[in-house]
Amino acid sequence: MDVTPRYLGAGSFLARRDPRVLLLVPVLYFVAVANVADLRGMLVCAAIALVYYRAAGIPWRGVRANWVFMLTFTTLLVVVNSVFTAADTRVGAGEALFAVPLTGTEVTWATLSYASTLLIRYASLAMVSFPVAFAIAPSDLGVALARLRLSQRLAYGVDLTFRFLPSTVAALRETIDAQRVRGYEHSRSRNPFRKLASLKPVVVPVTVNALIDAEDTANAMDLRGFGAKHRTWMRELAFGRTDYLVMGGFLALAAVMTAAKFFGPFGEVWAP
Amino acid sequence: MSTEALSPRHSPWTIDSRTVVFGAVGAALYAVLGLFSFLIPGTQSVTVRPAVALVPFFGKRFGVITGFFVGFVGNVVIDLIQGAGLIWWNWSVANGLVGAFAALIFTVIPPISSEALRHVVTALGALIATALGLLFIITDLWVLGIDFNTFLFLNYLPALLANGIAVVILVPALDAAWEPLAKRAGL
């Protein structure tokens, strides 16, 4: 079981940026694409997101499964909600192209345009979000959050979480093996209650043992005066000119798209 | 015996070394155990993730900040491991709020001497915290542009059903196992 984050974009243009840029760009992009209903506006944003994603240098082989899962899930979500049913759809003024059997939902060009807009929105959000997962060194996350004015202690907590992952996996494996020696077998029942109850012999000891060990770690940190003074970090972060340019570009995109949604055409569904 | 979640010396809002370490341990546990899930038979997409029970448990035992940290950071780490990045950030906040609400609920519940009743109250409190915290995914209305019916019937209720089953069964079990150790350690 591999639970450590994969630093697939190491050495790429985005990996060389200040990690705060990679954390802030998705926020600005969310602002830019939220409630965009016009397919043309969404395509412009998606093109920018694609350029950004390519700059992360994430090898396709490493994330193929992630993309397949992500696109399958969002396509199902959009087709079911926006085409097959009227849960989240736009009919528009156009003539109905056809009606969906069983549900009877009338599909127009506006319906298809809006569904495409949603699908592209999800895919482009993934494009700006994947670099957070694959182009930030896990050891940089704590310091990046600290420099984003998150509490120093909580930022250290994020750092600590990543350090605990390998030992937690090892403890889980050890506990499962130990319980198997005692005759434990995971329930094959289809009853979710029984299935959950059968997990108790694994979840409870793993959690309790981790908490007992945590007490030692907390005592060690107390003895070293954790939290007594402002914490410093080995890794120095500083925005460079390129970082400002990338941030400025996405800030401008968010401002232009927000204005276009309120005063321009991008707040309405576009039907060809 | 009592349902008292936090020792008198700890405020639920304190951020000290214990808050940080227990939060980090909880988030790591949530991230590792959170990779296991199973589908409820007869449904299309309702999966039960047993690890969600850790969030209200940590909230109850270690306070608001730890509870929020475990739910939020644990969920973000799962998304990072699975490669989703920050797309579902509001679901991570919702998970964090489950832990925070659990801490607040159990802070105001008075001590209960009966063990059986305490388990029932623990399960109910965790369930209420889950129901309240998950309400944050209503932000999908603005983030993803879905309508209210989609939020309610496709997002909120299935998530509440799946998480509710897990917290009702596992939180009392975790709490019962931790109670004597916490007393011995003076936590």
Side-chain angles (χ1 to χ4, degrees):
Chain A
M1 182 177 19
D2 185 12
V3 294
T4 46
R6 294 173 296 160
Y7 187 29
L8 298 173
S12 67
F13 173 80
L14 283 188
R16 292 197 304 275
R17 302 280 65 78
D18 186 311
R20 287 172 291 180
V21 173
L22 277 73
L23 289 172
L24 291 173
V25 161
V27 178
L28 293 171
Y29 192 79
F30 273 129
V31 174
V33 299
N35 295 323
V36 169
D38 189 298
L39 180 61
R40 296 163 302 177
M42 199 61 247
L43 282 171
V44 172
C45 293
I48 294 168
L50 182 62
V51 171
Y52 179 81
Y53 176 73
R54 296 284 297 165
I58 302 168
W60 168 245
R61 201 180 304 158
V63 290
R64 189 169 43 200
N66 300 96
W67 274 112
V68 168
F69 171 78
M70 197 273 161
L71 289 175
T72 308
F73 178 72
T74 50
T75 304
L76 276 173
L77 193 75
V78 169
V79 170
V80 171
N81 291 349
S82 304
V83 182
F84 285 177
T85 68
D88 181 24
T89 191
R90 303 287 187 276
V91 177
E95 196 178 309
L97 298 172
F98 60 91
V100 177
L102 297 176
T103 61
T105 311
E106 290 195 339
V107 176
T108 64
W109 279 115
T111 311
L112 295 177
S113 170
Y114 184 68
S116 306
T117 307
L118 286 183
L119 189 58
I120 294 169
R121 184 195 293 169
Y122 291 136
S124 65
L125 281 169
M127 286 179 205
V128 294
S129 294
F130 272 33
V132 177
F134 300 118
I136 297 181
S139 57
D140 283 353
L141 262 179
V143 61
L145 292 172
R147 294 286 183 271
L148 285 171
R149 306 279 179 199
L150 182 74
S151 154
Q152 296 276 334
R153 296 175 190 189
L154 293 182
Y156 184 72
V158 173
D159 230 23
L160 212 51
T161 301
F162 284 100
R163 291 186 204 181
F164 280 140
L165 285 175
S167 56
T168 308
V169 173
L172 177 65
R173 282 201 186 117
E174 200 177 314
T175 305
I176 290 173
D177 289 346
Q179 296 290 42
R180 276 188 178 150
V181 170
R182 293 172 175 86
Y184 168 78
E185 271 305 321
H186 183 55
S187 169
R188 296 187 191 282
S189 165
R190 285 168 58 84
N191 181 337
F193 292 95
R194 194 166 294 167
K195 222 168 179 150
L196 272 169
S198 78
L199 283 172
K200 280 184 200 172
V202 173
V203 174
V204 173
V206 169
T207 306
V208 170
N209 282 335
L211 289 173
I212 291 168
D213 293 344
E215 187 59 24
D216 292 341
T217 310
N219 286 336
M221 284 165 65
D222 279 344
L223 286 170
R224 287 164 176 78
F226 175 78
K229 281 186 177 177
H230 180 77
R231 185 176 181 81
T232 56
W233 301 76
M234 284 288 284
R235 174 93 153 89
E236 286 290 332
L237 296 181
F239 271 115
R241 189 187 297 169
T242 317
D243 298 324
Y244 281 117
L245 278 173
V246 174
M247 285 293 298
F250 275 92
L251 198 61
L253 177 71
V256 168
M257 290 304 293
T258 305
K261 276 177 280 185
F262 286 108
F263 307 113
F266 291 167
E268 300 296 325
V269 178
W270 172 74
Chain B
M1 293 285 203
S2 75
T3 56
E4 207 172 336
L6 300 156
S7 67
R9 64 194 168 94
H10 281 111
S11 151
W13 300 96
T14 307
I15 306 181
D16 57 15
S17 59
R18 271 159 185 74
T19 314
V20 171
V21 175
F22 286 121
V25 165
L29 279 167
Y30 183 33
V32 172
L33 294 171
L35 296 173
F36 299 105
S37 60
F38 56 87
L39 200 70
I40 295 184
T43 67
Q44 291 297 314
S45 61
V46 183
T47 52
V48 177
R49 192 187 269 178
V52 292
L54 292 167
V55 181
F57 166 70
F58 273 84
K60 177 186 177 187
R61 284 291 171 183
F62 305 106
V64 175
I65 306 292
T66 304
F68 184 85
F69 190 95
V70 171
F72 178 72
V73 176
N75 212 62
V76 166
V77 172
I78 291 174
D79 283 349
L80 288 179
I81 292 167
Q82 293 180 334
L86 300 175
I87 303 174
W88 317 115
W89 62 272
N90 54 336
W91 284 75
S92 297
V93 175
N95 271 288
L97 288 174
V98 170
F101 280 122
L104 294 172
I105 288 168
F106 289 110
T107 301
V108 297
I109 292 177
I112 297 169
S113 51
S114 157
E115 195 171 342
L117 182 60
R118 198 173 63 248
H119 292 333
V120 173
V121 171
T122 301
L124 275 177
L127 185 61
I128 293 167
T130 306
L132 290 175
L134 286 179
L135 278 176
F136 189 78
I137 58 175
I138 198 170
T139 47
D140 272 350
L141 262 61
W142 302 281
V143 173
L144 301 178
I146 61 171
D147 70 357
F148 185 77
N149 284 337
T150 311
F151 151 72
L152 188 64
F153 295 111
L154 293 178
N155 290 357
Y156 181 71
L157 290 179
L160 180 60
L161 172 69
N163 292 0
I165 293 172
V167 301
V168 163
I169 292 177
L170 290 177
V171 175
L174 285 166
D175 199 57
W178 182 241
E179 173 87 16
L181 293 165
K183 278 187 182 300
R184 203 174 63 189
L187 292 169

